[in-house]
Amino acid sequence: MSSTTEQATGARTWSVAEHLDDILTAVQPLEPIELNLLDAQGCVLVEQVTVPVALPPFDNSSMDGYAVRAADTERASEASPAVLTVIGDVAAGSSGTELTVGPGRAARIMTGAPLPPGADAVVPVEWTDGGTGAGPASTMAPHSAAPQGSGGQVRVHRPVTPHAHVRARGGDVCAGDVALEAGTVLGPPQIALLSAIGRPAARVRPRPRVVVLSTGSELAQPGEELAAGQIYDSNSFALAAAAKDAGAIVYRVGAVTDDAETLRATIEDQLIRADLLVTTGGVSVGAYDVVKEALTSVAEEEPEGEAAEGEDAEQAVHRAHVDFRTLAMQPGKPQGFGTIGPDRTPILTLPGNPVSSYVSFELFVRPAIRAMMGLADLHRPVVRATLLPPHGAGDEEPAPLTSPEGKRQFLRGTYTGGERPEVRPVGGSGSHLIGALAHADALIVLPETVTEAAWGGEVEVVLLG
Protein backbone atom coordinates (compact mmCIF):
# COMPACT_ATOMS: atom_id res chain seq x y z
CA MET A 1 0.00 0.00 0.00
CA SER A 2 1.05 3.54 -0.53
CA SER A 3 1.33 5.74 2.54
CA THR A 4 -1.37 8.03 3.88
CA THR A 5 0.94 10.99 3.45
CA GLU A 6 1.38 10.26 -0.25
CA GLN A 7 -2.37 10.05 -0.72
CA ALA A 8 -2.92 13.32 1.13
CA THR A 9 -0.64 15.07 -1.33
CA GLY A 10 -2.60 13.68 -4.27
CA ALA A 11 0.50 11.92 -5.59
CA ARG A 12 -1.45 9.07 -7.14
CA THR A 13 -4.83 8.21 -8.59
CA TRP A 14 -5.71 4.55 -8.27
CA SER A 15 -7.64 2.57 -10.85
CA VAL A 16 -10.60 0.44 -9.78
CA ALA A 17 -8.64 -2.73 -10.54
CA GLU A 18 -5.59 -1.61 -8.54
CA HIS A 19 -7.67 -0.76 -5.48
CA LEU A 20 -9.55 -4.06 -5.66
CA ASP A 21 -6.34 -6.07 -6.13
CA ASP A 22 -4.83 -4.34 -3.10
CA ILE A 23 -7.84 -5.28 -0.99
CA LEU A 24 -7.97 -8.90 -2.15
CA THR A 25 -4.23 -9.32 -1.61
CA ALA A 26 -4.57 -8.19 2.00
CA VAL A 27 -7.83 -9.95 2.91
CA GLN A 28 -7.36 -13.60 3.88
CA PRO A 29 -9.92 -16.41 4.20
CA LEU A 30 -11.05 -16.94 7.78
CA GLU A 31 -9.68 -19.92 9.71
CA PRO A 32 -11.89 -23.05 9.49
CA ILE A 33 -14.05 -24.04 12.43
CA GLU A 34 -16.49 -26.85 13.22
CA LEU A 35 -20.11 -25.67 13.13
CA ASN A 36 -23.44 -27.35 13.74
CA LEU A 37 -25.23 -27.97 10.46
CA LEU A 38 -27.72 -25.10 10.66
CA ASP A 39 -24.99 -22.69 11.74
CA ALA A 40 -22.91 -23.87 8.77
CA GLN A 41 -25.55 -22.91 6.21
CA GLY A 42 -24.07 -20.57 3.62
CA CYS A 43 -20.51 -21.46 4.62
CA VAL A 44 -17.81 -23.09 2.49
CA LEU A 45 -16.85 -26.66 3.30
CA VAL A 46 -13.09 -27.11 3.81
CA GLU A 47 -12.93 -30.92 3.78
CA GLN A 48 -14.04 -33.71 1.51
CA VAL A 49 -16.92 -35.62 3.07
CA THR A 50 -17.35 -39.34 2.32
CA VAL A 51 -20.43 -41.44 2.94
CA PRO A 52 -20.10 -43.70 6.03
CA VAL A 53 -23.30 -45.68 5.38
CA ALA A 54 -25.31 -46.36 2.25
CA LEU A 55 -28.41 -44.31 1.49
CA PRO A 56 -30.90 -45.71 1.93
CA PRO A 57 -29.30 -48.11 4.42
CA PHE A 58 -31.85 -50.88 3.65
CA ASP A 59 -34.39 -51.80 0.98
CA ASN A 60 -37.58 -49.89 1.81
CA SER A 61 -40.99 -49.13 0.40
CA SER A 62 -41.64 -46.00 -1.65
CA MET A 63 -45.41 -46.41 -1.29
CA ASP A 64 -48.10 -47.24 1.23
CA GLY A 65 -49.31 -50.67 0.19
CA TYR A 66 -48.52 -54.35 0.50
CA ALA A 67 -45.17 -56.11 0.48
CA VAL A 68 -45.53 -59.17 -1.75
CA ARG A 69 -43.74 -61.73 -3.83
CA ALA A 70 -44.07 -60.37 -7.40
CA ALA A 71 -44.68 -63.89 -8.72
CA ASP A 72 -47.90 -64.07 -6.69
CA THR A 73 -49.38 -61.11 -8.63
CA GLU A 74 -48.33 -61.88 -12.20
CA ARG A 75 -51.84 -62.94 -13.31
CA ALA A 76 -53.75 -60.37 -11.22
CA SER A 77 -56.46 -58.26 -12.94
CA GLU A 78 -59.63 -56.36 -12.11
CA ALA A 79 -61.71 -59.31 -13.21
CA SER A 80 -59.54 -61.89 -11.49
CA PRO A 81 -57.61 -60.38 -8.58
CA ALA A 82 -54.88 -62.22 -6.77
CA VAL A 83 -56.07 -63.01 -3.25
CA LEU A 84 -53.31 -62.92 -0.65
CA THR A 85 -53.36 -63.54 3.09
CA VAL A 86 -52.28 -60.53 5.14
CA ILE A 87 -49.86 -61.55 7.88
CA GLY A 88 -49.31 -58.20 9.62
CA ASP A 89 -48.00 -54.65 9.39
CA VAL A 90 -44.51 -53.30 8.70
CA ALA A 91 -44.29 -49.70 9.90
CA ALA A 92 -41.58 -47.13 9.28
CA GLY A 93 -39.02 -47.41 12.06
CA SER A 94 -39.47 -51.14 12.58
CA SER A 95 -36.65 -53.59 11.92
CA GLY A 96 -38.57 -55.32 9.12
CA THR A 97 -37.50 -58.75 10.30
CA GLU A 98 -40.56 -59.58 12.44
CA LEU A 99 -42.48 -60.98 9.47
CA THR A 100 -41.53 -63.22 6.56
CA VAL A 101 -43.61 -63.03 3.39
CA GLY A 102 -44.09 -66.52 2.02
CA PRO A 103 -46.00 -67.71 -1.06
CA GLY A 104 -49.57 -66.41 -1.14
CA ARG A 105 -48.83 -63.99 1.69
CA ALA A 106 -48.63 -60.17 1.95
CA ALA A 107 -47.74 -57.65 4.64
CA ARG A 108 -49.20 -54.16 4.91
CA ILE A 109 -46.24 -51.79 4.54
CA MET A 110 -45.88 -48.06 5.02
CA THR A 111 -43.74 -45.63 3.06
CA GLY A 112 -40.13 -45.81 4.26
CA ALA A 113 -40.59 -49.11 6.08
CA PRO A 114 -38.01 -51.85 5.47
CA LEU A 115 -38.96 -54.58 3.01
CA PRO A 116 -39.59 -57.75 5.03
CA PRO A 117 -37.78 -61.01 4.20
CA GLY A 118 -39.37 -62.96 1.38
CA ALA A 119 -40.94 -59.92 -0.31
CA ASP A 120 -39.43 -58.53 -3.49
CA ALA A 121 -41.97 -55.84 -4.47
CA VAL A 122 -44.65 -53.50 -3.13
CA VAL A 123 -48.18 -53.21 -4.47
CA PRO A 124 -49.58 -49.67 -3.96
CA VAL A 125 -52.75 -49.69 -1.87
CA GLU A 126 -54.62 -48.08 -4.80
CA TRP A 127 -54.04 -51.30 -6.80
CA THR A 128 -55.87 -53.34 -4.14
CA ASP A 129 -59.17 -53.41 -2.26
CA GLY A 130 -57.33 -52.37 0.91
CA GLY A 131 -58.53 -55.55 2.62
CA THR A 132 -62.18 -54.44 2.54
CA GLY A 133 -63.47 -56.95 -0.02
CA ALA A 134 -64.91 -54.04 -2.01
CA GLY A 135 -63.58 -52.11 -5.03
CA PRO A 136 -60.21 -50.38 -5.42
CA ALA A 137 -59.06 -48.55 -2.28
CA SER A 138 -58.07 -44.89 -2.28
CA THR A 139 -56.22 -45.02 1.02
CA MET A 140 -54.99 -47.45 3.63
CA ALA A 141 -57.10 -47.75 6.76
CA PRO A 142 -55.35 -46.86 10.01
CA HIS A 143 -53.93 -49.85 11.86
CA SER A 144 -56.40 -49.42 14.72
CA ALA A 145 -59.38 -49.26 12.38
CA ALA A 146 -58.38 -51.87 9.77
CA PRO A 147 -60.89 -54.73 9.31
CA GLN A 148 -59.68 -57.73 11.26
CA GLY A 149 -56.68 -55.69 12.44
CA SER A 150 -53.81 -56.26 10.07
CA GLY A 151 -54.88 -59.73 9.06
CA GLY A 152 -57.49 -61.06 6.69
CA GLN A 153 -57.15 -61.03 2.95
CA VAL A 154 -56.31 -58.44 0.31
CA ARG A 155 -57.29 -58.54 -3.34
CA VAL A 156 -54.61 -57.30 -5.76
CA HIS A 157 -56.03 -55.95 -9.04
CA ARG A 158 -52.78 -55.31 -10.96
CA PRO A 159 -49.51 -57.22 -11.23
CA VAL A 160 -46.14 -55.86 -10.11
CA THR A 161 -42.66 -56.72 -11.31
CA PRO A 162 -39.77 -57.61 -8.98
CA HIS A 163 -38.35 -54.54 -7.16
CA ALA A 164 -41.35 -52.38 -8.09
CA HIS A 165 -41.90 -49.50 -5.64
CA VAL A 166 -38.85 -50.51 -3.64
CA ARG A 167 -36.01 -48.09 -2.84
CA ALA A 168 -32.92 -50.25 -3.07
CA ARG A 169 -30.19 -50.13 -0.45
CA GLY A 170 -27.47 -47.76 -1.71
CA GLY A 171 -29.74 -46.52 -4.50
CA ASP A 172 -28.91 -42.92 -3.56
CA VAL A 173 -25.28 -43.10 -2.43
CA CYS A 174 -23.04 -45.99 -1.41
CA ALA A 175 -20.70 -46.22 1.55
CA GLY A 176 -17.33 -44.76 0.59
CA ASP A 177 -18.75 -42.44 -2.08
CA VAL A 178 -17.74 -38.78 -1.99
CA ALA A 179 -20.74 -36.92 -0.62
CA LEU A 180 -19.42 -33.35 -0.94
CA GLU A 181 -16.15 -31.89 -2.18
CA ALA A 182 -14.13 -29.28 -0.32
CA GLY A 183 -15.16 -25.85 -1.55
CA THR A 184 -18.87 -26.68 -1.63
CA VAL A 185 -21.19 -23.94 -0.36
CA LEU A 186 -23.58 -25.51 2.12
CA GLY A 187 -27.15 -24.75 1.11
CA PRO A 188 -30.30 -26.58 2.21
CA PRO A 189 -29.75 -29.64 -0.07
CA GLN A 190 -26.16 -30.06 1.15
CA ILE A 191 -27.29 -29.69 4.77
CA ALA A 192 -29.89 -32.39 4.07
CA LEU A 193 -27.26 -34.76 2.68
CA LEU A 194 -24.90 -34.24 5.63
CA SER A 195 -27.66 -34.92 8.11
CA ALA A 196 -28.85 -37.95 6.11
CA ILE A 197 -25.41 -39.56 6.38
CA GLY A 198 -25.28 -38.86 10.10
CA ARG A 199 -23.04 -35.80 10.23
CA PRO A 200 -24.17 -33.38 13.00
CA ALA A 201 -21.58 -30.73 12.10
CA ALA A 202 -19.26 -29.63 9.30
CA ARG A 203 -15.81 -28.08 9.12
CA VAL A 204 -16.20 -24.81 7.26
CA ARG A 205 -14.88 -21.32 6.88
CA PRO A 206 -17.28 -19.22 8.95
CA ARG A 207 -19.27 -16.32 7.62
CA PRO A 208 -17.35 -13.12 8.39
CA ARG A 209 -18.70 -10.77 11.04
CA VAL A 210 -19.07 -7.39 9.35
CA VAL A 211 -19.66 -4.21 11.34
CA VAL A 212 -21.28 -1.39 9.33
CA LEU A 213 -21.36 2.16 10.63
CA SER A 214 -22.24 5.44 9.00
CA THR A 215 -20.99 8.89 9.97
CA GLY A 216 -22.57 12.31 9.88
CA SER A 217 -24.15 14.67 12.39
CA GLU A 218 -26.96 15.22 9.88
CA LEU A 219 -28.16 11.61 10.11
CA ALA A 220 -31.30 10.58 11.97
CA GLN A 221 -32.57 7.02 12.37
CA PRO A 222 -35.75 5.98 10.53
CA GLY A 223 -38.72 6.45 12.82
CA GLU A 224 -37.24 9.52 14.52
CA GLU A 225 -38.47 13.05 13.96
CA LEU A 226 -36.28 14.94 11.52
CA ALA A 227 -34.77 18.14 12.87
CA ALA A 228 -33.81 21.04 10.63
CA GLY A 229 -30.92 20.07 8.34
CA GLN A 230 -31.24 16.34 9.03
CA ILE A 231 -31.80 13.40 6.71
CA TYR A 232 -32.49 9.76 7.45
CA ASP A 233 -29.58 7.33 7.58
CA SER A 234 -30.05 5.01 4.61
CA ASN A 235 -26.44 3.99 3.99
CA SER A 236 -25.96 1.83 7.06
CA PHE A 237 -29.18 -0.04 6.27
CA ALA A 238 -28.27 -0.49 2.60
CA LEU A 239 -24.75 -1.71 3.36
CA ALA A 240 -25.86 -3.97 6.20
CA ALA A 241 -28.44 -5.56 3.90
CA ALA A 242 -25.86 -5.89 1.12
CA ALA A 243 -23.33 -7.50 3.48
CA LYS A 244 -25.96 -9.96 4.68
CA ASP A 245 -26.84 -10.74 1.07
CA ALA A 246 -23.15 -11.41 0.38
CA GLY A 247 -23.13 -14.03 3.16
CA ALA A 248 -21.85 -12.11 6.18
CA ILE A 249 -23.09 -11.94 9.76
CA VAL A 250 -23.85 -8.24 10.08
CA TYR A 251 -23.87 -5.75 12.95
CA ARG A 252 -25.28 -2.35 12.02
CA VAL A 253 -24.16 0.52 14.23
CA GLY A 254 -26.20 3.71 14.50
CA ALA A 255 -24.83 6.82 12.83
CA VAL A 256 -21.79 8.40 14.50
CA THR A 257 -21.61 12.20 14.75
CA ASP A 258 -18.86 14.20 13.07
CA ASP A 259 -16.44 13.91 15.96
CA ALA A 260 -13.13 12.06 15.62
CA GLU A 261 -12.93 10.97 19.25
CA THR A 262 -16.48 9.62 19.21
CA LEU A 263 -15.70 7.66 16.07
CA ARG A 264 -12.53 6.23 17.60
CA ALA A 265 -14.45 5.15 20.70
CA THR A 266 -17.13 3.51 18.56
CA ILE A 267 -14.54 1.60 16.55
CA GLU A 268 -12.85 0.50 19.79
CA ASP A 269 -16.15 -0.94 20.98
CA GLN A 270 -16.79 -2.76 17.71
CA LEU A 271 -13.38 -4.34 17.12
CA ILE A 272 -14.14 -7.23 19.45
CA ARG A 273 -16.88 -8.56 17.17
CA ALA A 274 -15.57 -7.56 13.73
CA ASP A 275 -13.77 -9.58 11.09
CA LEU A 276 -14.30 -6.61 8.77
CA LEU A 277 -15.24 -2.98 9.42
CA VAL A 278 -17.10 -0.90 6.85
CA THR A 279 -17.69 2.83 7.29
CA THR A 280 -19.58 5.20 5.05
CA GLY A 281 -19.07 8.94 4.86
CA GLY A 282 -16.30 11.21 6.03
CA VAL A 283 -13.58 10.23 3.56
CA SER A 284 -13.47 13.21 1.20
CA VAL A 285 -11.73 16.59 1.63
CA GLY A 286 -14.29 18.50 3.67
CA ALA A 287 -13.68 20.11 7.04
CA TYR A 288 -15.98 17.56 8.73
CA ASP A 289 -14.75 14.38 7.06
CA VAL A 290 -14.42 12.61 10.39
CA VAL A 291 -13.31 9.14 9.22
CA LYS A 292 -10.35 10.56 7.36
CA GLU A 293 -9.48 12.83 10.28
CA ALA A 294 -9.72 10.09 12.92
CA LEU A 295 -7.90 7.34 11.06
CA THR A 296 -5.27 9.53 9.42
CA SER A 297 -4.24 10.90 12.81
CA VAL A 298 -4.11 7.49 14.43
CA ALA A 299 -2.06 6.14 11.55
CA GLU A 300 0.48 8.88 12.13
CA GLU A 301 0.55 8.06 15.88
CA GLU A 302 1.05 4.33 15.40
CA PRO A 303 3.75 2.87 17.67
CA GLU A 304 6.55 0.84 16.16
CA GLY A 305 6.44 -2.95 16.31
CA GLU A 306 3.85 -5.21 17.83
CA ALA A 307 1.44 -4.08 20.52
CA ALA A 308 2.73 -4.24 24.04
CA GLU A 309 1.09 -6.65 26.45
CA GLY A 310 -1.84 -5.00 28.20
CA GLU A 311 -2.45 -2.51 25.38
CA ASP A 312 -5.83 -0.87 25.91
CA ALA A 313 -8.56 -0.33 23.32
CA GLU A 314 -7.55 3.25 22.55
CA GLN A 315 -3.99 2.16 21.91
CA ALA A 316 -5.32 -0.68 19.76
CA VAL A 317 -7.16 1.76 17.51
CA HIS A 318 -3.97 3.79 17.29
CA ARG A 319 -2.36 0.80 15.61
CA ALA A 320 -3.86 1.49 12.19
CA HIS A 321 -2.69 1.43 8.59
CA VAL A 322 -5.36 3.16 6.52
CA ASP A 323 -4.76 4.65 3.08
CA PHE A 324 -7.18 7.28 1.80
CA ARG A 325 -7.16 7.22 -1.96
CA THR A 326 -8.47 8.96 -5.01
CA LEU A 327 -9.87 6.45 -7.50
CA ALA A 328 -10.43 6.98 -11.20
CA MET A 329 -14.12 6.12 -10.94
CA GLN A 330 -17.51 7.79 -10.80
CA PRO A 331 -19.30 7.62 -8.46
CA GLY A 332 -17.03 6.67 -5.54
CA LYS A 333 -13.83 8.64 -6.10
CA PRO A 334 -12.75 8.91 -2.41
CA GLN A 335 -11.97 5.53 -0.86
CA GLY A 336 -10.01 4.20 2.07
CA PHE A 337 -8.63 0.79 2.92
CA GLY A 338 -6.35 -0.63 5.59
CA THR A 339 -6.18 -2.51 8.86
CA ILE A 340 -6.84 -1.47 12.40
CA GLY A 341 -6.46 -2.82 15.93
CA PRO A 342 -4.31 -5.56 17.46
CA ASP A 343 -5.66 -8.24 15.08
CA ARG A 344 -5.13 -6.04 12.01
CA THR A 345 -8.84 -6.10 11.25
CA PRO A 346 -9.52 -4.98 7.66
CA ILE A 347 -11.40 -1.71 7.32
CA LEU A 348 -12.94 -0.25 4.17
CA THR A 349 -14.05 3.37 4.31
CA LEU A 350 -16.61 4.25 1.66
CA PRO A 351 -17.92 7.63 0.53
CA GLY A 352 -21.14 8.96 2.01
CA ASN A 353 -23.38 9.64 -0.99
CA PRO A 354 -25.87 6.74 -1.17
CA VAL A 355 -25.13 5.65 -4.73
CA SER A 356 -21.37 6.08 -4.27
CA SER A 357 -21.55 4.01 -1.10
CA TYR A 358 -23.56 1.19 -2.67
CA VAL A 359 -21.52 1.01 -5.87
CA SER A 360 -18.34 0.96 -3.76
CA PHE A 361 -19.74 -1.91 -1.72
CA GLU A 362 -20.50 -3.96 -4.83
CA LEU A 363 -17.06 -3.36 -6.33
CA PHE A 364 -14.87 -3.70 -3.23
CA VAL A 365 -16.62 -4.90 -0.06
CA ARG A 366 -18.64 -7.75 -1.53
CA PRO A 367 -15.57 -9.42 -3.09
CA ALA A 368 -13.69 -8.97 0.21
CA ILE A 369 -16.49 -10.68 2.16
CA ARG A 370 -16.59 -13.58 -0.29
CA ALA A 371 -12.80 -13.92 -0.20
CA MET A 372 -12.93 -14.15 3.60
CA MET A 373 -15.51 -16.92 3.25
CA GLY A 374 -13.14 -18.86 0.99
CA LEU A 375 -15.41 -18.68 -2.03
CA ALA A 376 -13.87 -19.09 -5.48
CA ASP A 377 -16.39 -16.84 -7.25
CA LEU A 378 -15.91 -13.37 -5.78
CA HIS A 379 -17.63 -11.12 -8.29
CA ARG A 380 -21.06 -10.35 -9.66
CA PRO A 381 -21.77 -11.73 -13.16
CA VAL A 382 -20.61 -9.45 -15.99
CA VAL A 383 -22.32 -9.60 -19.41
CA ARG A 384 -22.53 -7.60 -22.62
CA ALA A 385 -25.81 -5.96 -23.60
CA THR A 386 -27.22 -3.51 -26.10
CA LEU A 387 -27.59 -0.01 -24.65
CA LEU A 388 -31.08 1.41 -25.17
CA PRO A 389 -32.55 4.81 -24.16
CA PRO A 390 -34.34 4.96 -20.81
CA HIS A 391 -38.03 4.14 -20.68
CA GLY A 392 -40.18 7.22 -21.15
CA ALA A 393 -37.57 8.97 -23.28
CA GLY A 394 -40.22 9.88 -25.87
CA ASP A 395 -40.04 9.80 -29.64
CA GLU A 396 -37.00 12.01 -29.86
CA GLU A 397 -33.81 10.09 -29.11
CA PRO A 398 -31.99 11.55 -26.10
CA ALA A 399 -28.37 12.58 -26.22
CA PRO A 400 -25.82 9.77 -25.87
CA LEU A 401 -24.51 8.82 -22.45
CA THR A 402 -21.33 10.69 -21.57
CA SER A 403 -18.53 9.86 -19.17
CA PRO A 404 -15.52 11.86 -17.97
CA GLU A 405 -12.29 10.87 -19.70
CA GLY A 406 -9.95 8.82 -17.54
CA LYS A 407 -12.68 7.63 -15.16
CA ARG A 408 -14.58 4.36 -15.05
CA GLN A 409 -18.24 5.28 -14.69
CA PHE A 410 -20.93 3.06 -13.18
CA LEU A 411 -24.49 4.02 -14.12
CA ARG A 412 -27.63 2.40 -12.75
CA GLY A 413 -29.62 0.36 -15.24
CA THR A 414 -32.40 -2.15 -15.81
CA TYR A 415 -31.37 -5.32 -17.60
CA THR A 416 -33.39 -7.63 -19.83
CA GLY A 417 -31.80 -10.98 -20.67
CA GLY A 418 -32.54 -13.45 -23.42
CA GLU A 419 -30.95 -14.06 -26.81
CA ARG A 420 -30.32 -10.34 -27.30
CA PRO A 421 -29.72 -8.81 -23.85
CA GLU A 422 -30.58 -5.15 -23.39
CA VAL A 423 -29.91 -2.58 -20.72
CA ARG A 424 -31.46 0.84 -20.14
CA PRO A 425 -30.26 3.62 -17.82
CA VAL A 426 -32.50 4.43 -14.88
CA GLY A 427 -32.25 7.81 -13.18
CA GLY A 428 -29.43 10.28 -13.66
CA SER A 429 -25.74 10.04 -12.87
CA GLY A 430 -26.00 11.91 -9.54
CA SER A 431 -24.55 9.99 -6.60
CA HIS A 432 -27.45 11.06 -4.33
CA LEU A 433 -30.26 9.57 -6.45
CA ILE A 434 -31.28 6.69 -4.23
CA GLY A 435 -34.78 6.52 -5.73
CA ALA A 436 -33.34 5.45 -9.08
CA LEU A 437 -31.01 2.97 -7.37
CA ALA A 438 -34.02 1.19 -5.88
CA HIS A 439 -35.27 0.42 -9.41
CA ALA A 440 -31.93 -0.73 -10.84
CA ASP A 441 -30.81 -4.34 -11.17
CA ALA A 442 -27.57 -3.68 -13.02
CA LEU A 443 -24.62 -1.32 -13.37
CA ILE A 444 -23.71 0.00 -16.81
CA VAL A 445 -19.92 0.25 -17.05
CA LEU A 446 -18.28 2.92 -19.19
CA PRO A 447 -14.49 2.37 -19.19
CA GLU A 448 -11.84 5.06 -18.67
CA THR A 449 -11.28 5.42 -22.42
CA VAL A 450 -14.97 5.93 -23.28
CA THR A 451 -16.37 9.45 -23.14
CA GLU A 452 -19.59 8.79 -25.06
CA ALA A 453 -21.78 5.69 -25.43
CA ALA A 454 -24.21 5.69 -28.36
CA TRP A 455 -27.64 4.07 -28.17
CA GLY A 456 -27.67 0.70 -29.85
CA GLY A 457 -24.05 -0.04 -29.04
CA GLU A 458 -22.80 -2.78 -26.75
CA VAL A 459 -21.77 -2.04 -23.18
CA GLU A 460 -20.47 -4.01 -20.21
CA VAL A 461 -23.09 -4.70 -17.54
CA VAL A 462 -22.67 -5.87 -13.95
CA LEU A 463 -25.73 -7.83 -12.85
CA LEU A 464 -26.82 -7.02 -9.30
CA GLY A 465 -29.72 -9.44 -8.92
Side-chain angles (χ1 to χ4, degrees):
M1 298 180 192
S2 63
S3 71
T4 304
T5 303
E6 288 174 334
Q7 293 311 306
T9 62
R12 180 179 178 188
T13 297
W14 292 64
S15 71
V16 172
E18 287 173 331
H19 186 59
L20 178 59
D21 286 347
D22 199 33
I23 292 168
L24 295 181
T25 299
V27 170
Q28 298 299 315
L30 298 178
E31 287 298 315
I33 59 173
E34 192 90 0
L35 288 178
N36 293 330
L37 289 186
L38 292 182
D39 293 331
Q41 183 174 352
C43 297
V44 177
L45 192 67
V46 296
E47 61 180 347
Q48 186 184 78
V49 176
T50 56
V51 179
V53 293
L55 286 184
F58 48 83
D59 292 351
N60 69 89
S61 177
S62 66
M63 306 285 287
D64 291 329
Y66 291 84
V68 301
R69 292 158 42 98
D72 289 339
T73 70
E74 60 185 0
R75 291 185 176 85
S77 67
E78 293 282 350
S80 180
V83 181
L84 305 177
T85 299
V86 179
I87 60 173
D89 280 1
V90 184
S94 65
S95 69
T97 60
E98 300 91 342
L99 304 174
T100 297
V101 177
R105 302 289 189 264
R108 292 205 317 169
I109 192 167
M110 315 308 149
T111 301
L115 198 68
D120 62 3
V122 172
V123 178
V125 67
E126 294 87 354
W127 296 8
T128 75
D129 68 352
T132 64
S138 59
T139 186
M140 184 174 286
H143 174 70
S144 60
Q148 302 177 38
S150 56
Q153 292 182 325
V154 63
R155 287 167 174 76
V156 179
H157 302 137
R158 294 172 60 178
V160 290
T161 57
H163 313 298
H165 310 296
V166 174
R167 302 167 178 154
R169 180 181 184 274
D172 189 355
V173 291
C174 295
D177 285 352
V178 175
L180 296 171
E181 295 282 1
T184 300
V185 179
L186 299 183
Q190 292 76 32
I191 297 291
L193 177 56
L194 289 172
S195 59
I197 63 175
R199 290 286 295 263
R203 188 163 177 78
V204 297
R205 296 195 189 278
R207 295 188 294 154
R209 300 165 301 164
V210 176
V211 171
V212 176
L213 62 90
S214 53
T215 64
S217 298
E218 77 280 12
L219 299 178
Q221 296 306 298
E224 297 177 353
E225 195 73 30
L226 283 179
Q230 284 192 315
I231 60 172
Y232 287 121
D233 172 19
S234 62
N235 282 2
S236 67
F237 286 91
L239 298 186
K244 184 177 180 180
D245 181 69
I249 298 170
V250 184
Y251 302 101
R252 190 193 71 85
V253 181
V256 179
T257 59
D258 290 324
D259 178 79
E261 290 304 321
T262 301
L263 176 61
R264 290 185 196 179
T266 303
I267 291 176
E268 289 166 16
D269 291 340
Q270 298 301 320
L271 278 174
I272 193 170
R273 64 175 181 176
D275 295 310
L276 175 67
L277 280 162
V278 180
T279 70
T280 172
V283 294
S284 191
V285 294
Y288 291 89
D289 284 325
V290 63
V291 174
K292 195 168 185 180
E293 176 190 354
L295 298 183
T296 297
S297 62
V298 300
E300 291 169 350
E301 296 167 11
E302 181 200 4
E304 293 293 330
E306 291 299 315
E309 186 176 349
E311 176 182 65
D312 63 24
E314 183 177 359
Q315 290 169 320
V317 172
H318 283 194
R319 295 176 59 240
H321 289 283
V322 182
D323 286 351
F324 293 96
R325 302 168 174 174
T326 298
L327 267 61
M329 65 179 285
Q330 187 182 49
K333 181 176 73 171
Q335 299 283 338
F337 168 65
T339 60
I340 191 165
D343 296 325
R344 300 298 189 192
T345 303
I347 181 169
L348 285 95
T349 64
L350 311 183
N353 279 318
V355 177
S356 302
S357 175
Y358 182 73
V359 169
S360 299
F361 180 95
E362 288 291 337
L363 296 180
F364 307 124
V365 184
R366 191 175 193 274
I369 290 172
R370 293 176 67 82
M372 296 175 81
M373 294 176 67
L375 291 163
D377 185 9
L378 304 183
H379 307 287
R380 292 285 197 184
V382 177
V383 298
R384 304 286 297 180
T386 301
L387 179 64
L388 298 180
H391 287 294
D395 296 332
E396 188 174 333
E397 187 173 278
L401 290 183
T402 60
S403 182
E405 185 176 2
K407 290 186 178 181
R408 180 168 291 252
Q409 183 164 208
F410 298 88
L411 299 167
R412 280 73 71 205
T414 55
Y415 173 79
T416 304
E419 291 186 9
R420 301 184 65 181
E422 300 172 344
V423 67
R424 297 176 185 268
V426 56
S429 60
S431 57
H432 64 291
L433 300 175
I434 195 169
L437 179 63
H439 296 284
D441 59 10
L443 295 176
I444 301 167
V445 184
L446 301 183
E448 293 86 344
T449 56
V450 172
T451 57
E452 187 175 285
W455 308 116
E458 264 199 351
V459 291
E460 183 179 293
V461 179
V462 178
L463 303 183
L464 300 178

